[in-house]
Amino acid sequence: MDTHNRDPTHSVHEPDSSEEASGIESTVFPLINPHEATDYVPTKLGEQICLHQDDNDDEPAVAKPFARTSSPESAPHILHADNRVPERLMYKMHKFSLYETASRYYIVGADITERRYRILKIDRTTEDSDLSITDDKIVYSQREMNQILDTIDDGNKGTGGIRLRCTTWGLLGFIKFTGPYYMLLITKKSTVAMIGGHYVYQIDGTELVPLTPARFKPDVRNTEETRFLGILNNLDLTRSFYYSYSYDMTRTLQHNITRERNVLANGLPCTSGDDFNAMFVWNNHLLQPAVKALRDPFDWCRPIIHGYIDQAALSIYGRTVYITIIARRSRFFAGARFLKRGANDLGYVANDVETEQIVSDALTTSFHAPGPKLFLSPQYTSYVQHRGSIPLYWTQDNTGVTPKPPIELNLVDPFYSAAALHFDNLFERYGAPIYVLNLVKARERTPRESKLLVEYTNAIHYLNQFLPPGRKIIYKAWDMSWAAKNRDEDVIGTLEDIAESVLTTTGFFHNGDGKINPARVQNGVARTNCIDCLDRTNAAQFVIGKRALGHQLHALGILEGTVVEYDTDAVNLFTHMYHDHGDTIAVQYGGSQLVNTMETYRKINQWTSQSRDMIESFKRYYNNSFMDGQRQEAYNLFLGNYIFSQGQPMLWDLATDYYLHHADPRMWSGKSKVDYINWFTPSNLQQTQLLAYDPPPGDVGKKPVSFFDDYWLEYYRPSTLSSFLKTFPYKINSTIRYIPFKATQDGRYDLSPFKVRSETDVDPQEKKKPKEPVVIPSQGNPSRPDADTPSLLWDPAMAAKGMAAKGIPIPRWLQPVQNRPTDHGSIVQQTIPDDPTESPKAKQTPQEKYKAAQWSFTRAVHQSLNPSVSAQEAADYERYINHPQNLPLVVSAQERADNDSEYRDYINGAWHLETRLQPGPEDDPALYAELLKVGENPLTVTDEDAQKKRYKAYRKWLRGKSFFKQQPVE
């Protein structure tokens, strides 16, 4: 068994126990090496494919072709069968090379060790012929495969022989429109995750190969065929499509491990590996021709899922825990946002997504415990959630220009047949009970979402009448949108309470033998929805997943409790993963990324996010109005909802695709009637249990692990040179990236990913706080402001050099009045105490600092939109403008008797003593000459320019000395 740590960041050591006992102040944490955070990036391949070089353990994105040797007799010979390996593992092909002759295609498949080979023959037929595929099920050695290809080459010398067409990682299936069949191949892939030693790949490149003879010329007049190909190209298969050679991606970890353990308990070596969940196999339509023609189609064809997969690492003092998020989209009733709403009459809902989070410890690679105890590793946990549209018959017409079209309930079914079929399917997939979290709006001036709230609530109440006690649907309705806009509501706190209730109800999966390591299973699922099942739903699923993460880490022995706090490296990493998860699903269904993120619901989002939200809203509106029709046609064609046949209208001529996603009304009479009372299947309500482990009976129990699972061939690649530092051949995120490396050099930084990070944890080099603003008086002594006199927010350096230093008073009407109440709330100011010896005021709260930093911009906007003056200001202004009218036109040395006190202050003032301008630093001729000097490269800033005045002013602006460089406005 593999017991080594697989992350290069594992060189971090545990702190000494004596240091921990000495207290917090004396704690010295382990240093961290900045080089450990760099991920291994696979080498880019050029256009030329290397045939023989393999100097690292990273699989290239493009497959290597089968290398035909000139002297095949010298190649080693291997047996056709291996008694140590079951038949399913022997026939599993990983790499393929496509050869072509004038009349046939030949796909040469090789296993992961490149020691066993098989060949698949495909006829290049005309457009009127059926698909002809031949698989002889014979395993060849390299020498025998060379001989077969040489024989084929000799037999086709007259027509050009045999040549390599391309290399491929797998076959996605076959599709036919109006002409010949097409073969869809995977040409590029990249590794995105590893589960139990089984790699998960993302499709990065595909190729559509027509099955036509070599000299066949397509009919250019067949514009329908060209248009079908154009529609299919609208579906980008290189985004968010995933597959695996040895792990069933269409089912949950709990289902896969439970199935294997049940098979072993019955004395069988392993499962067939073909028990895929058809709901999540997106190329199911393309696989049907291969299923009909081949006995074992999945030896050559790869089922793919659509959704999102990400994997990241938690580094806990050298112990690594991997978090994997897998989102599977259902292919039933799939489509774009406004075109697919609610449910169809088969019980399938729009935007149906199953989200699974797998948390595993890296102590062992495989699913097996030491012993070996097959599929009993206690280091694997998982939790599953579900999202989907409200299972009622409702639509939204987006033919107009309204961003939010009205919601229409098309059919009011008193027996809620669609909802009954949907929940029965959820019982079959996840068990009971089902926890429904409904987040639609309940308070609306014009009823829109609230119409669905009432109908959905009635549906749950109706269906619950007939469910047995303990298996009823748990229903929780909460207006999350209203709570997010209300400052008195704690959105996250409410979601945390709901999440704890969900975890208590459904539980989670934890593998184990049931004796030494207790095992748990998840019975039931949390079903979350809003209107689109995007923004609010993703935030709620994040909070539920965060609470599940705490329980999973506690079960693995990582945490003492079951709660992971916010603002920790672990939750920051988990938040980043769920943001990507929500963005990907939002793009697939709504056409844009999330509009409201977790920062919105935590009420910590910055003002810059408002512009981002506006852009995403516009993108969503644009895609829903102009692009969703093309995407829907591509979905219908790829998924097989529309199949061309003579006499039927073309796909682009259909006024609606309603009948492509609903049952044929002509078949209703032949269908069995639905029972409105016993709407559920009783067997689906039974709880799932893990069987107690017993060694496999008979000879099966004496077999090594390699007989049951060949993960070690794919993961360790024993036939190639590899190193432990390159264990993960893909870029993986980690909590190590959240650690400021400079702050760790003194040994005082806690490297734990569960430590709540505060401002004191920031690198001192990066923490540069601007000077605090102070208030100076408008008149009199700058240090002794009058309480009744309005004050001005001023920079201390500017006050020392400016008007305050010269004692020049500022007119009252020119000063902003800061203490006037506004609609934005009270204004918080910082004033200078009357006595310098007085103790400063109490430390301001973060909220007070926040308001104090943003008052100037808020007041500027308010005064610009609402100009007003007080009575005192108006009087001052009138005196100011009437002042010259009281001055005599003829200047006399004699003082007038009727002059007011202000005129006498003007006459006796000290202003005439400053008539001679004194040169200041601004009038330095050398500085002016330096400003006029233009260097050879005027756009290049050198180190000598750092001391120039204009660059000092720029640095001053960067530190926040600008009026508009303020904090965001609430």
Side-chain angles (χ1 to χ4, degrees), residues 656-709:
T656 176
D657 64 348
Y658 177 87
Y659 295 108
L660 302 182
H661 294 268
H662 292 72
D664 191 345
R666 294 170 294 184
M667 306 298 295
W668 286 354
S669 59
K671 294 177 59 178
S672 60
K673 302 301 181 181
V674 179
D675 194 328
Y676 298 128
I677 296 179
N678 299 319
W679 56 268
F680 57 90
T681 304
S683 60
N684 295 339
L685 301 180
Q686 298 179 0
Q687 287 192 346
T688 303
Q689 294 181 352
L690 282 176
L691 298 178
Y693 174 74
D694 290 321
D699 296 336
V700 178
K702 302 178 182 178
K703 301 290 185 180
V705 176
S706 59
F707 181 81
F708 305 93
D709 191 0

Side-chain angles (χ1 to χ4, degrees), residues 359-418:
V359 181
S360 58
D361 199 340
L363 294 178
T364 58
T365 300
S366 68
F367 295 128
H368 316 295
K373 296 180 180 179
L374 302 175
F375 299 99
L376 288 179
S377 174
Q379 310 301 328
Y380 285 88
T381 64
S382 74
Y383 182 75
V384 181
Q385 299 184 66
H386 177 269
R387 74 170 68 184
S389 186
I390 297 176
L392 301 173
Y393 297 113
W394 63 281
T395 58
Q396 282 183 279
D397 186 9
N398 68 329
T399 55
V401 294
T402 306
K404 295 183 178 181
I407 295 175
E408 300 293 339
L409 273 166
N410 306 100
L411 175 63
V412 178
D413 183 4
F415 305 106
Y416 303 101
S417 302

Side-chain angles (χ1 to χ4, degrees), residues 156-202:
N156 292 272
K157 287 293 186 183
T159 57
I162 187 174
R163 69 182 185 91
L164 178 68
R165 171 67 180 266
C166 66
T167 58
T168 174
W169 292 108
L171 182 63
L172 292 181
F174 303 87
I175 191 171
K176 179 181 175 68
F177 308 123
T178 64
Y181 270 98
Y182 294 87
M183 177 171 52
L184 189 59
L185 304 173
I186 305 173
T187 56
K188 291 183 180 180
K189 67 177 178 65
S190 59
T191 309
V192 293
M194 193 276 297
I195 306 173
H198 304 276
Y199 282 117
V200 180
Y201 304 96
Q202 176 177 285

Side-chain angles (χ1 to χ4, degrees), residues 589-609:
Y589 183 62
S592 72
Q593 296 182 355
L594 292 175
V595 175
N596 297 315
T597 60
M598 276 304 301
E599 284 77 9
T600 303
Y601 297 109
R602 290 187 64 189
K603 301 179 181 179
I604 59 174
N605 57 324
Q606 302 295 326
W607 66 272
T608 54
S609 65

Side-chain angles (χ1 to χ4, degrees), residues 8 88 157 200 288 305 326 331 345-346 367 374 491 592 626 699 739 748 804 817 828 858 865 922 936 942 948 957:
R88 177 177 67 88
K157 287 293 186 183
V200 180
Q288 295 309 308
I305 67 170
I326 304 175
R331 67 181 179 91
D345 53 5
L346 300 177
F367 295 128
L374 302 175
V491 179
S592 72
F626 304 104
D699 296 336
I739 298 177
R748 300 291 179 181
V817 181
V828 180
T858 304
L865 298 179
E922 294 83 359
E936 298 180 357
T942 62
K948 294 182 180 179
W957 181 86

